[in-house]
Amino acid sequence: MVTKRFLAAVLMVLPFLLSAQELTVNEARFCKGDDPVWSAFAYDDHAWLKVSFDQPWEELGLDQVNGLGWYRLHMVIPSSLKKGKVSAILLDLGAIDDSDETWVNGHSVGKTGTFPEDPGGYSSEWGKRRYYVVDPGWVRWDQENVIAVRVYNYGDPGGFYRGPIRIIKPSLKDFATLSLVAEAGGYKAVLATSVKTAGPLQITVEDVLTGARESSKTQKVNLAAWKEKQLSCPLAPQKRLKVTYADPRFEEVLEAEVCAPYILTPPAPATPRYNGPLVFGVRPGSPVIFRLAFSGDKPMEYAVEGLPEGVILDPEKGVLSGSCAVAGDYPLVFVARNAKGETRAEFTLKVGDQIALTPPMGWNSWNCWALSVSQEKVMASAAALINRGLADYGYAYMNIDDAWEADERTPDGRIQANEKFPDMKGLGDWLHANGLKFGIYSSPGDHTCGGYLGSLDHERLDAEVWNSWGVDYLKYDWCGYSKVFEAGRDKSEAAYIRPYLKMQQFLREQPRDIFYSLCQYGWGRVWEWGAFIDANSWRTSHDINDTWESLYVTGFERQPGLHPYAGPGHWNDPDMLIVGKVGWSSSLRDSRLTPDEQYTHISLWSLLAANMLIGCDIAQIDDFTFNLLCNNEVNAVNQDILGHQAHQDVVEDGMQIWSRDLYDGSYAVGIFNLNEASVPVRLDGALAKIGLGADSVRDLWRQKEIPAGAEYVIPPHGVLYVKVRPSGQADSR
Ligand code: GLA
């Protein structure tokens, strides 16, 4: 029991100390007995026994085993251990048998355990590590100091014997943590410390949108070592909670902040507004499947001017179908009308060899349902895509990931769906009738990542089956192909390409356009050859999940440098979105990303011209997630027809600036704060770093003009995402 406590104590404090600079002391003078004057700096102890800290006092040749004894340690404490003007030092005396009180130059700095004369009598704390903070005013900097330790021991062994003691240049963070832990109705501020500490704990609530301080209260904290202070902090939507703790002996302040989900984007107008891409590519003769993406009050009526022969409009649903035999660019005008008004939007239908002229937008079942996906669940999300209005923002692909496959093929080799998908063709037909597209998943190996049947040696037949169901998108996941790859001698780039090229030929033989999505985690430098084998996107990294670490690695570490490889028809795919209710199982949870991290995620994917495949259950989408996914200006950057993926321009002090140029001559710029604390940023200064000047810019999340000559506070892991029209350029808005 006691040993466990000791271990726990050691483990708890280790992380606090890793960064500290320190001085170790191996020797002291020792005397059995007890006299209060032994605590004084000036006491002359030269006749005391010299001891090192590796022997219990029983081994010092002393007859008496139980009782009191004193250690006096002499040392010069260099002022290099001072941090800033005011800084304490931290004594790490290790564990002492059994109880002690300690003085530095005559000032009592701490006591652990109790002595026989104390009320309640003696109690041992032999297993507890001693950390005592020493007031900087008590230290004789660059001169001799005396640490006096009065020890009471009972039973074997006694005193100091666990190695040198340490004098540490500490920071408050070395021995205390301040965190915010979610609880019902808000958060709990938790201050935990391994030393005695006192100071103000401040709790501030701000409005996220205005930045205005709404309340601020301060509590005086006085904590003994190894104690915790907990304080409930209710948090309403759109509010940011900041807590700070300052122990006046240290310069630095502990900080933590969180915010409740907050909606930056104003609601869409009731009048029709076009939010979809400006172009759509289809091959001659292939089915046109396209839903006009207008937000605004429903019902809405649609018309399209300039439709080529063979392409027809469902005027109630706003769905284009049919096909066009003749290649060419067809300028169309979409017209949408509701009770509040009429809106016209220019559009180009590009009938030619290239599809996926803008990154695909839609949904994929993996990040929510993983192997528990079913036709019912896909239908529920598809219906919600329409009913909740996400289809009015261009989301169109409904992609089934792994786990749709039956265990066996038919006797003639045809792949079939398992019992969870009773009617694939019916599902495809329903999606198409609503202007949505149908996606499926397979592997070039004999099995998929989830252990289902793959397409190895059945590629042509599988492509034909998918065509018969109306499949418009194939995610082709390497996984089981590793077996083939490892068995072969060829490990060249060609060996990576071979299985993908094979399937590509069979997809192209089908009389419909099938978006070809390569999934092999960025292996074999896929971005260098993906476009040449006519793939429409390729994964650039391993599987993402809903943590900051995963988002950071996937987004900020794996994507820099890939911008030259993206463009209309072929995109880098940093994996599916991790906002909303996800879970990779039949039980879902809210994304574990903070609201600020979610803004960062969607901003970065918008800049990266990434596949925008929603990974949550759309049927359960909340207003915050809707706002993240359905900001027409943020999505317009993702869908920009130049298709220029952003590049990472600046990496400095935990900040990153990414930018891309857009077809209207402006630039989308994301200023990301990857630090753990808020950072104020002077916007014109940040833009100057990437050679852009502007008096005012458009805040894409808030959808409003903001002055460039002002300072904006970017929250931890958050972003300021703007569109910049460089000075001198006329505003076409
Ligand atoms: C791999 C892919 C994921 C998902 C699973 C399915 O891990 O990278 O996106 O498709 O397989 O098993």
Side-chain angles (χ1 to χ4, degrees), residues 612-627:
M612 291 287 280
L613 293 177
I614 300 169
C616 67
D617 178 12
I618 300 180
Q620 295 189 59
I621 216 155
D622 57 85
D623 293 348
F624 171 67
T625 310
F626 182 88
N627 141 83

Side-chain angles (χ1 to χ4, degrees), residues 364 366-367 371 401-402 441 448-451 475 477 479 519 521 539 541-543 575-576:
N364 172 292
W366 186 250
N367 290 357
L371 301 179
D401 207 278
D402 205 355
Y441 165 98
T448 66
C449 283
K475 172 173 172 181
D477 187 359
C479 247
C519 174
Y521 339 111
R539 278 270 297 278
S541 42
H542 279 284
D543 290 16
D575 210 356
M576 297 154 312

Side-chain angles (χ1 to χ4, degrees), residues 392-686:
D392 298 345
Y393 287 82
Y395 292 97
Y397 283 100
M398 291 300 301
N399 297 351
I400 305 169
D401 207 278
D402 205 355
W404 61 267
E405 311 88 335
D407 289 346
E408 285 181 9
R409 294 172 176 271
T410 60
D412 59 352
R414 291 170 78 82
I415 193 139
Q416 0 173 38
N418 59 36
E419 64 295 341
K420 294 186 295 163
F421 290 87
D423 185 6
M424 283 296 208
K425 166 98 172 70
L427 177 58
D429 288 347
W430 186 91
L431 293 172
H432 295 155
N434 287 286
L436 303 183
K437 301 187 187 85
F438 184 18
I440 205 118
Y441 165 98
S442 190
S443 169
D446 60 0
H447 63 272
T448 66
C449 283
Y452 291 78
L453 276 188
S455 295
L456 185 66
D457 297 334
H458 297 84
E459 290 83 358
R460 166 172 278 134
L461 210 47
D462 286 359
E464 285 171 11
V465 171
W466 297 327
N467 171 57
S468 74
W469 294 342
V471 162
D472 308 300
Y473 188 114
L474 172 67
K475 172 173 172 181
Y476 208 39
D477 187 359
W478 176 274
C479 247
Y481 191 77
S482 282
K483 224 163 60 181
V484 181
F485 183 79
E486 296 306 334
R489 261 181 310 178
D490 186 2
K491 301 280 183 288
S492 69
E493 195 173 78
Y496 283 100
I497 298 174
R498 203 167 292 128
Y500 285 100
L501 188 58
K502 188 168 189 185
M503 180 56 91
Q504 182 267 348
Q505 286 161 357
F506 300 127
L507 293 180
R508 285 303 294 268
E509 280 176 8
Q510 307 311 312
R512 58 186 309 110
D513 297 341
I514 301 179
F515 184 107
Y516 191 25
S517 149
L518 313 191
C519 174
Q520 31 82 292
Y521 339 111
W523 294 348
R525 300 187 62 81
V526 57
W527 42 85
E528 288 179 354
W529 49 265
F532 297 106
I533 65 153
D534 211 7
N536 300 113
S537 72
W538 45 82
R539 278 270 297 278
T540 50
S541 42
H542 279 284
D543 290 16
I544 199 166
N545 67 52
D546 59 330
T547 60
W548 172 246
E549 292 66 34
S550 174
L551 176 60
Y552 178 82
V553 170
T554 308
F556 293 99
E557 283 189 353
R558 297 276 181 268
Q559 310 311 319
L562 298 186
H563 58 277
Y565 305 103
H570 47 93
W571 309 100
N572 290 306
D573 173 10
D575 210 356
M576 297 154 312
L577 303 179
I578 39 169
V579 300
K581 285 211 185 300
V582 293
W584 293 266
S585 70
S586 57
S587 80
L588 304 185
R589 57 162 186 265
D590 286 323
S591 170
R592 290 175 292 172
L593 296 180
T594 67
D596 295 319
E597 290 165 354
Q598 298 190 43
Y599 277 109
T600 286
H601 175 29
I602 303 299
S603 306
L604 186 59
W605 264 234
S606 154
L607 281 160
L608 291 173
N611 298 20
M612 291 287 280
L613 293 177
I614 300 169
C616 67
D617 178 12
I618 300 180
Q620 295 189 59
I621 216 155
D622 57 85
D623 293 348
F624 171 67
T625 310
F626 182 88
N627 141 83
L628 284 167
L629 296 171
C630 297
N631 176 314
N632 62 319
E633 297 187 23
V634 170
N635 293 353
V637 176
N638 173 271
Q639 295 287 300
D640 187 78
I641 56 176
L642 282 188
H644 288 176
Q645 175 176 328
H647 33 91
Q648 185 191 48
D649 302 308
V650 175
V651 179
E652 205 175 273
D653 301 330
M655 306 294 291
Q656 293 198 6
I657 305 181
W658 292 64
S659 71
R660 63 182 281 187
D661 58 330
L662 304 170
Y663 88 100
D664 67 357
S666 63
Y667 293 81
V669 181
I671 306 170
F672 296 93
N673 174 13
L674 309 182
N675 295 290
E676 301 302 319
S678 296
V679 174
V681 170
R682 174 79 191 206
L683 184 50
D684 50 9

Side-chain angles (χ1 to χ4, degrees), residues 216-371:
S216 182
K217 64 176 181 192
T218 304
Q219 270 221 356
K220 186 93 189 119
V221 169
N222 208 331
L223 272 184
W226 305 109
K227 294 284 180 223
E228 242 182 47
K229 167 87 185 162
Q230 298 195 354
L231 201 68
S232 280
C233 312
L235 187 62
Q238 310 269 128
K239 305 292 172 214
R240 188 181 297 280
L241 178 68
K242 290 185 175 166
V243 287
T244 59
Y245 175 70
D247 177 326
R249 294 170 299 183
F250 299 96
E251 274 188 328
E252 74 273 73
V253 169
L254 299 182
E255 292 173 314
E257 68 176 77
V258 291
C259 62
Y262 59 97
I263 294 177
L264 293 178
T265 307
T271 47
R273 184 183 70 194
Y274 184 66
N275 306 306
L278 302 184
V279 293
F280 178 66
V282 63
R283 297 196 178 104
S286 291
V288 171
I289 304 158
F290 189 84
R291 190 179 168 100
L292 276 55
F294 279 93
S295 56
D297 284 358
K298 303 290 179 330
M300 211 173 265
E301 253 180 41
Y302 306 88
V304 177
E305 295 168 7
L307 275 182
E309 200 187 320
V311 181
I312 40 179
L313 169 75
D314 176 333
E316 276 170 33
K317 289 184 176 161
V319 169
L320 294 178
S321 60
S323 63
C324 175
V326 185
D329 283 2
Y330 297 91
L332 310 182
V333 177
F334 293 161
V335 186
R337 203 171 299 121
N338 66 8
K340 298 283 166 37
E342 182 184 289
T343 301
R344 297 165 68 81
E346 286 178 9
F347 180 87
T348 307
L349 179 66
K350 285 177 162 291
V351 181
D353 201 40
Q354 212 167 42
I355 63 167
L357 298 179
T358 62
M361 292 179 75
W363 177 85
N364 172 292
S365 58
W366 186 250
N367 290 357
C368 46
W369 305 119
L371 301 179

